PDB file of all heavy atoms in Angstrom:
ATOM      1  N   LEU A 315      20.548  -4.479   8.924  1.00  0.00           N
ATOM      2  CA  LEU A 315      21.382  -5.549   8.350  1.00  0.00           C
ATOM      3  C   LEU A 315      22.593  -5.816   9.232  1.00  0.00           C
ATOM      4  O   LEU A 315      23.247  -4.916   9.699  1.00  0.00           O
ATOM      5  CB  LEU A 315      21.840  -5.122   6.951  1.00  0.00           C
ATOM      6  CG  LEU A 315      22.749  -6.080   6.234  1.00  0.00           C
ATOM      7  CD1 LEU A 315      21.969  -7.323   5.833  1.00  0.00           C
ATOM      8  CD2 LEU A 315      23.341  -5.421   4.994  1.00  0.00           C
ATOM      9  N   ASN A 316      22.858  -7.074   9.490  1.00  0.00           N
ATOM     10  CA  ASN A 316      24.108  -7.444  10.145  1.00  0.00           C
ATOM     11  C   ASN A 316      24.592  -8.748   9.546  1.00  0.00           C
ATOM     12  O   ASN A 316      23.859  -9.445   8.858  1.00  0.00           O
ATOM     13  CB  ASN A 316      23.947  -7.562  11.658  1.00  0.00           C
ATOM     14  CG  ASN A 316      22.861  -8.563  12.031  1.00  0.00           C
ATOM     15  OD1 ASN A 316      23.014  -9.745  11.764  1.00  0.00           O
ATOM     16  ND2 ASN A 316      21.777  -8.068  12.628  1.00  0.00           N
ATOM     17  N   VAL A 317      25.820  -9.104   9.808  1.00  0.00           N
ATOM     18  CA  VAL A 317      26.443 -10.268   9.182  1.00  0.00           C
ATOM     19  C   VAL A 317      25.726 -11.549   9.556  1.00  0.00           C
ATOM     20  O   VAL A 317      25.553 -12.446   8.739  1.00  0.00           O
ATOM     21  CB  VAL A 317      27.924 -10.347   9.602  1.00  0.00           C
ATOM     22  CG1 VAL A 317      28.567 -11.580   8.997  1.00  0.00           C
ATOM     23  CG2 VAL A 317      28.653  -9.091   9.157  1.00  0.00           C
ATOM     24  N   GLU A 318      25.258 -11.662  10.810  1.00  0.00           N
ATOM     25  CA  GLU A 318      24.675 -12.913  11.264  1.00  0.00           C
ATOM     26  C   GLU A 318      23.382 -13.258  10.527  1.00  0.00           C
ATOM     27  O   GLU A 318      23.025 -14.416  10.372  1.00  0.00           O
ATOM     28  CB  GLU A 318      24.410 -12.853  12.771  1.00  0.00           C
ATOM     29  CG  GLU A 318      25.664 -12.961  13.610  1.00  0.00           C
ATOM     30  CD  GLU A 318      26.502 -11.686  13.577  1.00  0.00           C
ATOM     31  OE1 GLU A 318      25.994 -10.629  13.163  1.00  0.00           O
ATOM     32  OE2 GLU A 318      27.689 -11.769  13.963  1.00  0.00           O
ATOM     33  N   CYS A 319      22.627 -12.230  10.105  1.00  0.00           N
ATOM     34  CA  CYS A 319      21.335 -12.520   9.489  1.00  0.00           C
ATOM     35  C   CYS A 319      21.436 -12.758   7.995  1.00  0.00           C
ATOM     36  O   CYS A 319      20.447 -13.033   7.349  1.00  0.00           O
ATOM     37  CB  CYS A 319      20.334 -11.392   9.765  1.00  0.00           C
ATOM     38  SG  CYS A 319      20.709  -9.864   8.867  1.00  0.00           S
ATOM     39  N   LEU A 320      22.625 -12.638   7.439  1.00  0.00           N
ATOM     40  CA  LEU A 320      22.782 -12.863   5.997  1.00  0.00           C
ATOM     41  C   LEU A 320      22.704 -14.344   5.674  1.00  0.00           C
ATOM     42  O   LEU A 320      22.988 -15.181   6.521  1.00  0.00           O
ATOM     43  CB  LEU A 320      24.130 -12.307   5.514  1.00  0.00           C
ATOM     44  CG  LEU A 320      24.250 -10.775   5.523  1.00  0.00           C
ATOM     45  CD1 LEU A 320      25.647 -10.385   5.102  1.00  0.00           C
ATOM     46  CD2 LEU A 320      23.216 -10.123   4.626  1.00  0.00           C
ATOM     47  N   PRO A 321      22.360 -14.683   4.428  1.00  0.00           N
ATOM     48  CA  PRO A 321      22.306 -16.108   4.045  1.00  0.00           C
ATOM     49  C   PRO A 321      23.663 -16.778   4.172  1.00  0.00           C
ATOM     50  O   PRO A 321      24.703 -16.130   4.150  1.00  0.00           O
ATOM     51  CB  PRO A 321      21.861 -16.052   2.570  1.00  0.00           C
ATOM     52  CG  PRO A 321      21.187 -14.720   2.425  1.00  0.00           C
ATOM     53  CD  PRO A 321      21.869 -13.806   3.383  1.00  0.00           C
ATOM     54  N   VAL A 322      23.638 -18.116   4.270  1.00  0.00           N
ATOM     55  CA  VAL A 322      24.869 -18.892   4.487  1.00  0.00           C
ATOM     56  C   VAL A 322      25.852 -18.718   3.351  1.00  0.00           C
ATOM     57  O   VAL A 322      27.044 -18.826   3.525  1.00  0.00           O
ATOM     58  CB  VAL A 322      24.513 -20.384   4.657  1.00  0.00           C
ATOM     59  CG1 VAL A 322      25.774 -21.228   4.815  1.00  0.00           C
ATOM     60  CG2 VAL A 322      23.633 -20.562   5.871  1.00  0.00           C
ATOM     61  N   LYS A 323      25.343 -18.400   2.124  1.00  0.00           N
ATOM     62  CA  LYS A 323      26.243 -18.386   0.967  1.00  0.00           C
ATOM     63  C   LYS A 323      27.239 -17.236   0.975  1.00  0.00           C
ATOM     64  O   LYS A 323      28.131 -17.179   0.159  1.00  0.00           O
ATOM     65  CB  LYS A 323      25.423 -18.344  -0.327  1.00  0.00           C
ATOM     66  CG  LYS A 323      24.531 -17.132  -0.468  1.00  0.00           C
ATOM     67  CD  LYS A 323      23.693 -17.274  -1.743  1.00  0.00           C
ATOM     68  CE  LYS A 323      22.665 -16.146  -1.835  1.00  0.00           C
ATOM     69  NZ  LYS A 323      21.797 -16.322  -2.979  1.00  0.00           N
ATOM     70  N   ILE A 324      27.111 -16.284   1.909  1.00  0.00           N
ATOM     71  CA  ILE A 324      28.092 -15.208   1.981  1.00  0.00           C
ATOM     72  C   ILE A 324      29.398 -15.755   2.540  1.00  0.00           C
ATOM     73  O   ILE A 324      29.411 -16.478   3.523  1.00  0.00           O
ATOM     74  CB  ILE A 324      27.583 -14.058   2.865  1.00  0.00           C
ATOM     75  CG1 ILE A 324      26.352 -13.418   2.212  1.00  0.00           C
ATOM     76  CG2 ILE A 324      28.658 -13.032   3.105  1.00  0.00           C
ATOM     77  CD1 ILE A 324      25.798 -12.251   2.959  1.00  0.00           C
ATOM     78  N   VAL A 325      30.507 -15.369   1.937  1.00  0.00           N
ATOM     79  CA  VAL A 325      31.804 -15.779   2.450  1.00  0.00           C
ATOM     80  C   VAL A 325      32.167 -14.885   3.630  1.00  0.00           C
ATOM     81  O   VAL A 325      31.413 -13.992   4.015  1.00  0.00           O
ATOM     82  CB  VAL A 325      32.884 -15.688   1.347  1.00  0.00           C
ATOM     83  CG1 VAL A 325      32.529 -16.613   0.222  1.00  0.00           C
ATOM     84  CG2 VAL A 325      33.034 -14.269   0.843  1.00  0.00           C
ATOM     85  N   ASN A 326      33.322 -15.122   4.204  1.00  0.00           N
ATOM     86  CA  ASN A 326      33.790 -14.341   5.350  1.00  0.00           C
ATOM     87  C   ASN A 326      33.648 -12.841   5.072  1.00  0.00           C
ATOM     88  O   ASN A 326      34.258 -12.315   4.159  1.00  0.00           O
ATOM     89  CB  ASN A 326      35.254 -14.699   5.609  1.00  0.00           C
ATOM     90  CG  ASN A 326      35.744 -14.104   6.918  1.00  0.00           C
ATOM     91  OD1 ASN A 326      35.209 -13.127   7.420  1.00  0.00           O
ATOM     92  ND2 ASN A 326      36.781 -14.741   7.458  1.00  0.00           N
ATOM     93  N   PRO A 327      32.845 -12.106   5.871  1.00  0.00           N
ATOM     94  CA  PRO A 327      32.615 -10.687   5.594  1.00  0.00           C
ATOM     95  C   PRO A 327      33.894  -9.867   5.605  1.00  0.00           C
ATOM     96  O   PRO A 327      33.975  -8.846   4.936  1.00  0.00           O
ATOM     97  CB  PRO A 327      31.663 -10.261   6.717  1.00  0.00           C
ATOM     98  CG  PRO A 327      31.026 -11.519   7.190  1.00  0.00           C
ATOM     99  CD  PRO A 327      32.063 -12.581   7.013  1.00  0.00           C
ATOM    100  N   ALA A 328      34.863 -10.304   6.365  1.00  0.00           N
ATOM    101  CA  ALA A 328      36.119  -9.555   6.417  1.00  0.00           C
ATOM    102  C   ALA A 328      36.841  -9.594   5.087  1.00  0.00           C
ATOM    103  O   ALA A 328      37.645  -8.736   4.781  1.00  0.00           O
ATOM    104  CB  ALA A 328      37.011 -10.113   7.520  1.00  0.00           C
ATOM    105  N   LEU A 329      36.538 -10.652   4.301  1.00  0.00           N
ATOM    106  CA  LEU A 329      37.219 -10.798   3.012  1.00  0.00           C
ATOM    107  C   LEU A 329      36.361 -10.327   1.844  1.00  0.00           C
ATOM    108  O   LEU A 329      36.884 -10.053   0.773  1.00  0.00           O
ATOM    109  CB  LEU A 329      37.581 -12.275   2.787  1.00  0.00           C
ATOM    110  CG  LEU A 329      38.508 -12.906   3.812  1.00  0.00           C
ATOM    111  CD1 LEU A 329      38.699 -14.377   3.486  1.00  0.00           C
ATOM    112  CD2 LEU A 329      39.851 -12.197   3.851  1.00  0.00           C
ATOM    113  N   ALA A 330      35.041 -10.281   2.047  1.00  0.00           N
ATOM    114  CA  ALA A 330      34.148  -9.960   0.928  1.00  0.00           C
ATOM    115  C   ALA A 330      34.444  -8.571   0.385  1.00  0.00           C
ATOM    116  O   ALA A 330      34.601  -7.614   1.112  1.00  0.00           O
ATOM    117  CB  ALA A 330      32.702 -10.042   1.392  1.00  0.00           C
ATOM    118  N   PHE A 331      34.524  -8.491  -0.924  1.00  0.00           N
ATOM    119  CA  PHE A 331      34.726  -7.249  -1.661  1.00  0.00           C
ATOM    120  C   PHE A 331      36.061  -6.581  -1.405  1.00  0.00           C
ATOM    121  O   PHE A 331      36.280  -5.467  -1.833  1.00  0.00           O
ATOM    122  CB  PHE A 331      33.572  -6.252  -1.408  1.00  0.00           C
ATOM    123  CG  PHE A 331      32.300  -6.768  -1.958  1.00  0.00           C
ATOM    124  CD1 PHE A 331      31.384  -7.402  -1.149  1.00  0.00           C
ATOM    125  CD2 PHE A 331      32.035  -6.701  -3.309  1.00  0.00           C
ATOM    126  CE1 PHE A 331      30.233  -7.925  -1.656  1.00  0.00           C
ATOM    127  CE2 PHE A 331      30.881  -7.220  -3.836  1.00  0.00           C
ATOM    128  CZ  PHE A 331      29.971  -7.826  -3.014  1.00  0.00           C
ATOM    129  N   ARG A 332      36.944  -7.259  -0.707  1.00  0.00           N
ATOM    130  CA  ARG A 332      38.336  -6.828  -0.802  1.00  0.00           C
ATOM    131  C   ARG A 332      38.822  -7.251  -2.163  1.00  0.00           C
ATOM    132  O   ARG A 332      38.321  -8.212  -2.735  1.00  0.00           O
ATOM    133  CB  ARG A 332      39.181  -7.514   0.276  1.00  0.00           C
ATOM    134  CG  ARG A 332      39.051  -6.899   1.649  1.00  0.00           C
ATOM    135  CD  ARG A 332      40.008  -7.542   2.597  1.00  0.00           C
ATOM    136  NE  ARG A 332      41.384  -7.360   2.165  1.00  0.00           N
ATOM    137  CZ  ARG A 332      42.409  -8.030   2.688  1.00  0.00           C
ATOM    138  NH1 ARG A 332      42.210  -8.910   3.637  1.00  0.00           N
ATOM    139  NH2 ARG A 332      43.624  -7.803   2.264  1.00  0.00           N
ATOM    140  N   PRO A 333      39.816  -6.561  -2.721  1.00  0.00           N
ATOM    141  CA  PRO A 333      40.371  -7.030  -3.996  1.00  0.00           C
ATOM    142  C   PRO A 333      40.758  -8.495  -3.871  1.00  0.00           C
ATOM    143  O   PRO A 333      41.510  -8.875  -2.990  1.00  0.00           O
ATOM    144  CB  PRO A 333      41.592  -6.135  -4.203  1.00  0.00           C
ATOM    145  CG  PRO A 333      41.248  -4.887  -3.438  1.00  0.00           C
ATOM    146  CD  PRO A 333      40.444  -5.331  -2.254  1.00  0.00           C
ATOM    147  N   VAL A 334      40.229  -9.329  -4.735  1.00  0.00           N
ATOM    148  CA  VAL A 334      40.350 -10.782  -4.596  1.00  0.00           C
ATOM    149  C   VAL A 334      41.790 -11.231  -4.505  1.00  0.00           C
ATOM    150  O   VAL A 334      42.131 -12.138  -3.763  1.00  0.00           O
ATOM    151  CB  VAL A 334      39.643 -11.457  -5.792  1.00  0.00           C
ATOM    152  CG1 VAL A 334      39.931 -12.951  -5.813  1.00  0.00           C
ATOM    153  CG2 VAL A 334      38.149 -11.223  -5.713  1.00  0.00           C
ATOM    154  N   LEU A 335      42.649 -10.571  -5.239  1.00  0.00           N
ATOM    155  CA  LEU A 335      44.030 -11.037  -5.294  1.00  0.00           C
ATOM    156  C   LEU A 335      44.756 -10.858  -3.972  1.00  0.00           C
ATOM    157  O   LEU A 335      45.832 -11.410  -3.779  1.00  0.00           O
ATOM    158  CB  LEU A 335      44.783 -10.294  -6.393  1.00  0.00           C
ATOM    159  CG  LEU A 335      44.250 -10.531  -7.812  1.00  0.00           C
ATOM    160  CD1 LEU A 335      44.993  -9.659  -8.794  1.00  0.00           C
ATOM    161  CD2 LEU A 335      44.393 -11.991  -8.185  1.00  0.00           C
ATOM    162  N   PHE A 336      44.184 -10.055  -3.048  1.00  0.00           N
ATOM    163  CA  PHE A 336      44.880  -9.796  -1.798  1.00  0.00           C
ATOM    164  C   PHE A 336      44.124 -10.329  -0.599  1.00  0.00           C
ATOM    165  O   PHE A 336      44.291  -9.855   0.505  1.00  0.00           O
ATOM    166  CB  PHE A 336      45.108  -8.283  -1.635  1.00  0.00           C
ATOM    167  CG  PHE A 336      46.073  -7.753  -2.640  1.00  0.00           C
ATOM    168  CD1 PHE A 336      45.619  -7.203  -3.820  1.00  0.00           C
ATOM    169  CD2 PHE A 336      47.435  -7.871  -2.443  1.00  0.00           C
ATOM    170  CE1 PHE A 336      46.506  -6.742  -4.760  1.00  0.00           C
ATOM    171  CE2 PHE A 336      48.320  -7.407  -3.385  1.00  0.00           C
ATOM    172  CZ  PHE A 336      47.864  -6.837  -4.552  1.00  0.00           C
ATOM    173  N   GLN A 337      43.290 -11.334  -0.803  1.00  0.00           N
ATOM    174  CA  GLN A 337      42.578 -11.925   0.321  1.00  0.00           C
ATOM    175  C   GLN A 337      43.410 -12.980   1.014  1.00  0.00           C
ATOM    176  O   GLN A 337      42.959 -13.628   1.931  1.00  0.00           O
ATOM    177  CB  GLN A 337      41.248 -12.523  -0.167  1.00  0.00           C
ATOM    178  CG  GLN A 337      40.280 -11.433  -0.596  1.00  0.00           C
ATOM    179  CD  GLN A 337      39.009 -12.013  -1.150  1.00  0.00           C
ATOM    180  OE1 GLN A 337      38.874 -13.223  -1.214  1.00  0.00           O
ATOM    181  NE2 GLN A 337      38.081 -11.168  -1.529  1.00  0.00           N
ATOM    182  N   GLU A 338      44.621 -13.200   0.549  1.00  0.00           N
ATOM    183  CA  GLU A 338      45.491 -14.188   1.176  1.00  0.00           C
ATOM    184  C   GLU A 338      46.917 -13.676   1.119  1.00  0.00           C
ATOM    185  O   GLU A 338      47.207 -12.620   0.570  1.00  0.00           O
ATOM    186  CB  GLU A 338      45.362 -15.526   0.451  1.00  0.00           C
ATOM    187  CG  GLU A 338      45.763 -16.694   1.312  1.00  0.00           C
ATOM    188  CD  GLU A 338      45.685 -17.988   0.507  1.00  0.00           C
ATOM    189  OE1 GLU A 338      45.315 -17.944  -0.658  1.00  0.00           O
ATOM    190  OE2 GLU A 338      46.026 -19.018   1.060  1.00  0.00           O
ATOM    191  N   LYS A 339      47.823 -14.447   1.644  1.00  0.00           N
ATOM    192  CA  LYS A 339      49.223 -14.035   1.693  1.00  0.00           C
ATOM    193  C   LYS A 339      49.745 -13.753   0.304  1.00  0.00           C
ATOM    194  O   LYS A 339      49.450 -14.459  -0.638  1.00  0.00           O
ATOM    195  CB  LYS A 339      50.060 -15.136   2.347  1.00  0.00           C
ATOM    196  CG  LYS A 339      51.497 -14.723   2.548  1.00  0.00           C
ATOM    197  CD  LYS A 339      52.273 -15.781   3.297  1.00  0.00           C
ATOM    198  CE  LYS A 339      53.724 -15.368   3.461  1.00  0.00           C
ATOM    199  NZ  LYS A 339      54.495 -16.372   4.205  1.00  0.00           N
ATOM    200  N   VAL A 340      50.551 -12.696   0.167  1.00  0.00           N
ATOM    201  CA  VAL A 340      51.053 -12.258  -1.126  1.00  0.00           C
ATOM    202  C   VAL A 340      52.495 -12.702  -1.305  1.00  0.00           C
ATOM    203  O   VAL A 340      53.309 -12.579  -0.414  1.00  0.00           O
ATOM    204  CB  VAL A 340      50.953 -10.720  -1.233  1.00  0.00           C
ATOM    205  CG1 VAL A 340      51.512 -10.240  -2.551  1.00  0.00           C
ATOM    206  CG2 VAL A 340      49.507 -10.295  -1.068  1.00  0.00           C
ATOM    207  N   SER A 341      52.798 -13.254  -2.479  1.00  0.00           N
ATOM    208  CA  SER A 341      54.172 -13.678  -2.754  1.00  0.00           C
ATOM    209  C   SER A 341      54.927 -12.570  -3.467  1.00  0.00           C
ATOM    210  O   SER A 341      54.351 -11.585  -3.899  1.00  0.00           O
ATOM    211  CB  SER A 341      54.150 -14.933  -3.631  1.00  0.00           C
ATOM    212  OG  SER A 341      53.493 -14.644  -4.837  1.00  0.00           O
ATOM    213  N   THR A 342      56.221 -12.713  -3.578  1.00  0.00           N
ATOM    214  CA  THR A 342      57.069 -11.670  -4.158  1.00  0.00           C
ATOM    215  C   THR A 342      57.546 -12.080  -5.536  1.00  0.00           C
ATOM    216  O   THR A 342      57.980 -13.202  -5.746  1.00  0.00           O
ATOM    217  CB  THR A 342      58.285 -11.406  -3.250  1.00  0.00           C
ATOM    218  OG1 THR A 342      57.794 -11.043  -1.970  1.00  0.00           O
ATOM    219  CG2 THR A 342      59.156 -10.307  -3.813  1.00  0.00           C
ATOM    220  N   ASN A 343      57.482 -11.156  -6.469  1.00  0.00           N
ATOM    221  CA  ASN A 343      57.984 -11.396  -7.816  1.00  0.00           C
ATOM    222  C   ASN A 343      59.492 -11.261  -7.816  1.00  0.00           C
ATOM    223  O   ASN A 343      60.034 -10.234  -7.421  1.00  0.00           O
ATOM    224  CB  ASN A 343      57.348 -10.392  -8.788  1.00  0.00           C
ATOM    225  CG  ASN A 343      57.680 -10.710 -10.220  1.00  0.00           C
ATOM    226  OD1 ASN A 343      58.836 -10.912 -10.560  1.00  0.00           O
ATOM    227  ND2 ASN A 343      56.654 -10.735 -11.057  1.00  0.00           N
ATOM    228  N   VAL A 344      60.171 -12.295  -8.242  1.00  0.00           N
ATOM    229  CA  VAL A 344      61.634 -12.319  -8.190  1.00  0.00           C
ATOM    230  C   VAL A 344      62.226 -11.248  -9.087  1.00  0.00           C
ATOM    231  O   VAL A 344      63.238 -10.630  -8.764  1.00  0.00           O
ATOM    232  CB  VAL A 344      62.151 -13.709  -8.607  1.00  0.00           C
ATOM    233  CG1 VAL A 344      63.672 -13.730  -8.594  1.00  0.00           C
ATOM    234  CG2 VAL A 344      61.606 -14.757  -7.661  1.00  0.00           C
TER     235      VAL A 344
END
Side-chain angles (χ1 to χ4, degrees):
L315 178 70
N316 57 65
V317 178
E318 286 74 16
C319 71
L320 291 177
V322 177
K323 61 184 173 184
I324 295 182
V325 298
N326 189 337
L329 300 177
F331 294 98
R332 281 186 61 193
V334 171
L335 297 175
F336 292 94
Q337 291 177 359
E338 203 183 359
K339 185 175 179 179
V340 178
S341 60
T342 303
N343 188 310
V344 178

